[in-house]
């Protein structure tokens, strides 16, 4: 196994008496798109800000590219790119002027800067907008310009904090294709998202809640680790069926999904008997074939379990 490009251990950040990030540990492997998930306030941005050197940790360690991220920051920082949750683009400059400005901060100049700016803007499919003010761009275009600006210095590790929030599904796909190209160039990416379709495309995920790591691994193994199967029952009596289903011991959860009840059952269980009992109670419904849990199911499960605990 090659050495991970990023290794985080015991990372903690307190704000007064409040602990926003608590004893967090994970690794990002070379060439990986690593997804960072968790509800609002989970501590995702705080973690990224510590790893990018914008915020000092209260305690913990992080190694990147074989160096200590907190004590040898200067040697590592040049190889890191960061796109913050709030766009850092200057809205009253044009696209090209923004990239020239940020390229200058990275120490690029002259012909090298000009060619890198053109390469990135073309790669992100925003070259034709180079003379527009950033303020005039759509959200999707703006995010791709921000990605271009975060990668001008060809970083080896890229931190993207909710890069696709507010971006439509088509442009979101474009953004992910751009990320794939960056990985093909040799970058490793840590990305936060609230979009579980995107999370499914990540090589591995960390799910954090209340600043703590709750689940960590490949999307598929995380879903399998739940040990559940999901069955959707289509019915006009969805509210009553939901409460009736909850009274059966094998029903681990029953949530409403439009005019359906989505049941969570133990993975190996044959559901016919349960469905018969519900029909005998007077419910009419159409049962869709059982399916493995989705990341959304996992997300809901983790949040609910944390509330109970
Ligand atoms: N400078 C600060 N001072 C005090 N509390 C802070 C500070 N920065 C963050 N927090 C708190 O830390 C917690 C985690 O915030 P953070 O921004 O990391 O969450 P997040 O997972 O990125 O959420 P979101 O999905 O909404 O972006 C929140 O409760 C937030 O209020
Ligand atoms: Mg955030």
């Amino acid at each position: 196994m090659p050495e991970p490009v990023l290794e985080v251990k015991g990372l903690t950040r307190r704000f007064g008496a409040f602990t926003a990030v608590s004893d967090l540990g994970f690794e990002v492997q070379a060439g990986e798109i690593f997804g960072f998930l968790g509800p609002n306030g989970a501590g995702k941005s705080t973690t990224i800000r510590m790893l990018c050197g914008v915020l000092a940790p209260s305690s913990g360690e992080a190694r990147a590219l074989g160096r200590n991220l907190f004590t040898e920051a200067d040697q590592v920082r040049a190889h890191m790119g960061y796109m913050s949750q709030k766009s850092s683009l200057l809205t009253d400059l044009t696209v090209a002027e923004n990239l020239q400005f940020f390229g200058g901060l990275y120490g690029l100049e002259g012909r090298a800067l000009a060619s890198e700016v053109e390469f990135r803007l073309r790669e992100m499919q925003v070259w034709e907008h180079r003379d527009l003010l950033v303020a005039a761009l759509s959200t999707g275009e703006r995010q791709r310009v921000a990605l271009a600006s975060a990668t001008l210095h060809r970083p080896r590790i890229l931190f993207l904090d909710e890069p696709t929030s507010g971006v439509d599904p088509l442009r979101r796909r474009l953004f992910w294709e751009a990320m794939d190209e960056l990985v093909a160039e040799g970058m490793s990416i840590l990305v936060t998202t609230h979009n579980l379709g995107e999370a499914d495309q990540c090589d591995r995920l960390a799910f954090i809640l209340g600043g703590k790591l709750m689940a960590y691994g490949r999307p598929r193994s995380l879903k399998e680790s739940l040990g559940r199967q999901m069955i959707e029952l289509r019915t006009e009596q969805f509210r009553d069926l939901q409460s009736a289903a909850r009274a059966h011991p094998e029903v681990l959860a029953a949530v409403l999904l439009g005019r359906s009840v989505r049941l969570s059952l133990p993975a190996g269980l044959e559901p016919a008997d349960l469905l018969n009992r519900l029909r005998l109670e007077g419910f009419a419904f159409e049962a869709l074939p059982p399916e493995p849990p989705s990341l959304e199911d996992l997300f809901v499960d983790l949040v609910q379990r944390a509330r109970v605990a």
Side-chain angles (χ1 to χ4, degrees):
M1 192 94 151
E3 195 179 345
V5 288
L6 177 69
E7 221 177 329
V8 177
K9 270 190 211 150
L11 190 64
T12 300
R13 172 68 206 210
R14 285 181 284 271
F15 294 109
F18 174 72
T19 305
V21 173
S22 175
D23 195 24
L24 209 58
F26 62 88
E27 289 176 0
V28 176
Q29 304 292 338
E32 168 166 80
I33 297 185
F34 187 88
F36 221 47
L37 301 184
N40 295 129
K44 304 180 296 295
S45 296
T46 305
T47 301
I48 290 188
R49 293 174 64 222
M50 288 190 278
L51 297 176
C52 291
V54 183
L55 182 74
S58 303
S59 57
E61 292 166 39
R63 292 186 72 76
L65 306 171
R67 289 182 187 269
N68 185 317
L69 195 51
F70 299 133
T71 59
E72 301 173 284
D74 289 346
Q75 289 96 317
V76 199
R77 201 72 52 75
H79 302 290
M80 302 197 324
Y82 173 39
M83 187 173 151
S84 78
Q85 190 166 356
K86 291 202 187 96
S87 171
S88 47
L89 296 173
L90 306 162
T91 50
D92 50 356
L93 294 186
T94 68
V95 168
E97 286 165 348
N98 263 276
L99 269 77
Q100 281 147 10
F101 173 74
F102 286 107
L105 293 185
Y106 296 134
L108 292 166
E109 54 186 16
R111 210 173 278 186
L113 174 59
S115 82
E116 204 62 24
V117 166
E118 176 169 353
F119 172 71
R120 287 298 169 202
L121 289 179
R122 285 191 188 280
E123 180 179 55
M124 298 303 153
Q125 304 190 29
V126 282
W127 173 244
E128 66 273 30
H129 299 319
R130 61 191 176 279
D131 294 324
L132 287 184
L133 289 181
V134 163
L137 300 177
S138 73
T139 307
E141 290 158 355
R142 206 182 285 206
Q143 296 302 75
R144 296 205 305 284
V145 171
L147 185 57
S149 114
T151 52
L152 275 176
H153 58 310
R154 303 190 176 232
R156 298 205 24 219
I157 309 176
L158 193 54
F159 295 90
L160 307 177
D161 197 356
E162 284 190 46
T164 58
S165 91
V167 176
D168 76 52
L170 223 68
R171 277 23 172 262
R172 193 176 278 169
R173 192 168 298 169
L174 213 57
F175 193 95
W176 274 72
E177 282 169 14
M179 280 169 56
D180 284 335
E181 283 184 37
L182 297 174
V183 166
E185 277 177 40
M187 293 184 202
S188 308
I189 301 179
L190 188 152
V191 59
T192 71
T193 179
H194 288 291
N195 182 289
L196 299 176
E198 288 185 349
D200 242 325
Q201 293 177 48
C202 293
D203 296 300
R204 286 186 315 136
L205 300 172
F207 184 98
I208 66 170
L209 190 63
K212 297 194 180 80
L213 187 71
M214 305 294 284
Y216 173 50
R218 297 193 175 278
R220 193 166 156 181
S221 39
L222 286 177
K223 289 182 271 187
E224 283 171 0
S225 72
L226 264 183
R228 308 252 170 126
Q229 59 177 322
M230 313 302 295
I231 297 190
E232 206 169 308
L233 307 180
R234 293 211 173 132
T235 174
E236 290 303 311
Q237 305 155 279
F238 44 92
R239 285 190 200 286
D240 294 338
L241 180 55
Q242 180 192 28
S243 24
R246 281 177 172 166
H248 291 262
E250 64 267 63
V251 175
L252 302 168
V255 297
L256 293 182
L257 206 76
R259 296 182 159 267
S260 296
V261 183
R262 189 165 169 87
L263 300 184
S264 167
L265 306 176
L269 183 97
E270 169 53 55
D273 179 57
L274 169 71
L275 301 182
N276 280 337
R277 274 181 276 141
L278 289 170
R279 287 201 170 95
L280 285 173
E281 288 174 36
F283 291 103
F285 53 81
E286 179 200 350
L288 302 188
E291 56 181 21
S294 63
L295 276 182
E296 190 169 331
D297 295 317
L298 174 75
F299 197 102
V300 170
D301 187 87
L302 287 170
V303 173
Q304 281 180 349
R305 259 193 273 173
R307 277 208 199 112
V308 173

